[in-house]
Amino acid sequence: MSLARVALRIAAVEALRGRTRIGANVLDSQIGILDVAGDGGLRTDEDRPFLAVYTDAGKSEGAEARNLRENGEIDLVFVVGVMTALTEIDPETGAARLIGLGLPGTDAAFEFLLDLVDRQITAVLTDPANEWSEIWRKLVDEVVRVVRRRDASAGDADRLAAREIRLTVKVKADPLINAAQAEGSVWSKFRAKLATDRPELAAEVEALFGTAGADLAPFDLQRMRGASAGEARALGFAPHDPADPAATIKAGVVAGGPSLRAP
């Protein structure tokens, strides 16, 4: 299930970058973005307001046979944070304001920023004109629940306000490894968009797809179900003689004919 998790996270990051009040500081799986200090307060090393995106817990139940491609539900987590250290003095008014944002450096302004970015996240992910958002939506079959949690540090040092938005989503199954992707499918669109926008990541992600994309028929259905060779032959979706790729399958599919690959 690693491919769908990667695609889901990258699509969200790319869709959001530069499209919220946070600007370009959208982080992919930034480990330790929020730390708990010895006094119980929150700490971060970020020197500007940030939006971090993670894929967290996942659960799949009731998978057919030994189908390990099913992703089931995945938690996609957004963490928005801002610190009092990220303020400057307005030369005209003498009041503190958030650097680069123009908002007052007050607790109320911090909360407003978190609410604003929260709303912008939902707006971006449902934006029909955003190509990365469209890929994100095609990966997600259903939003199961949305949980929002507030974190804050209110010590004498720099204060930190943060918001966690946790989306539990039902995600499409991973494609078969090494399988060619149908033109127009979410996986082909994801690969093409990644190659254009993030070429430095594209080669790494290609390793998750496998090789160049061989046609796996007539073994597609066997891989989809995770069936043993004996089970596949008995059920009629594998050649009687695996050494002979031209052998006719009992179900009537002949090697070289239409693939049984899942979309």
Side-chain angles (χ1 to χ4, degrees):
M1 58 189 294
S2 57
L3 179 54
R5 293 172 68 90
V6 169
L8 187 71
R9 189 176 63 250
I10 290 176
V13 168
E14 295 303 314
L16 291 165
R17 183 170 284 127
R19 293 180 175 88
T20 73
R21 197 65 177 269
I22 297 298
N25 198 29
V26 180
L27 310 173
D28 184 347
S29 306
Q30 186 75 33
I31 296 174
I33 190 71
L34 293 179
D35 291 326
V36 179
D39 60 2
L42 295 177
R43 298 289 185 272
T44 183
D45 292 331
E46 281 295 302
D47 59 359
R48 52 183 167 152
F50 61 86
L51 169 55
V53 183
Y54 307 85
T55 42
D56 202 348
K59 179 178 68 174
S60 177
E61 297 178 341
E64 181 184 27
R66 303 180 191 88
N67 184 359
L68 299 180
R69 302 181 307 111
E70 292 293 337
N71 287 297
E73 297 179 2
I74 293 177
D75 283 356
L76 181 65
V77 182
F78 303 89
V79 177
V80 188
V82 60
M83 292 186 66
T84 55
L86 311 179
T87 58
E88 61 185 359
I89 301 301
D90 187 325
E92 296 183 3
T93 65
R97 65 184 180 188
L98 289 172
I99 297 173
L101 297 177
L103 294 172
T106 63
D107 290 349
F110 285 10
E111 292 300 318
F112 174 80
L113 177 63
L114 299 182
D115 288 331
L116 173 62
V117 177
D118 187 334
R119 178 167 173 78
Q120 289 178 327
I121 289 171
T122 60
V124 169
L125 293 181
T126 55
D127 181 1
N130 187 316
E131 293 182 63
W132 277 112
S133 297
E134 179 69 6
I135 291 172
W136 186 88
R137 290 191 296 273
K138 286 181 175 293
L139 289 168
V140 173
D141 289 331
E142 179 184 346
V143 177
V144 178
R145 71 183 63 88
V146 181
V147 177
R148 291 174 169 84
R149 184 168 67 92
R150 180 182 181 276
D151 287 316
S153 174
D156 294 333
D158 295 323
R159 299 189 309 282
L160 170 67
R163 171 81 51 83
E164 178 186 286
I165 304 126
R166 180 175 294 264
L167 303 185
T168 300
V169 294
K170 288 185 179 179
V171 182
K172 284 183 168 51
D174 279 7
L176 290 169
I177 192 166
N178 293 340
Q181 304 306 313
E183 184 178 355
S185 71
V186 64
W187 300 112
S188 63
K189 289 182 177 180
F190 171 67
R191 294 168 91 170
K193 188 68 173 165
L194 193 65
T196 300
D197 292 3
R198 298 294 303 277
E200 74 282 6
L201 280 179
E204 299 296 330
V205 172
E206 281 300 308
L208 296 176
F209 283 95
T211 60
D215 188 351
L216 297 177
F219 294 100
D220 285 358
L221 192 53
Q222 180 179 347
R223 288 175 181 255
M224 287 166 59
R225 294 175 58 89
S228 69
E231 290 169 337
R233 288 194 292 272
L235 292 171
F237 49 78
H240 297 298
D241 181 6
D244 179 8
T248 301
I249 300 175
K250 285 192 294 183
V253 179
V254 179
S259 171
L260 298 173
R261 184 181 309 110

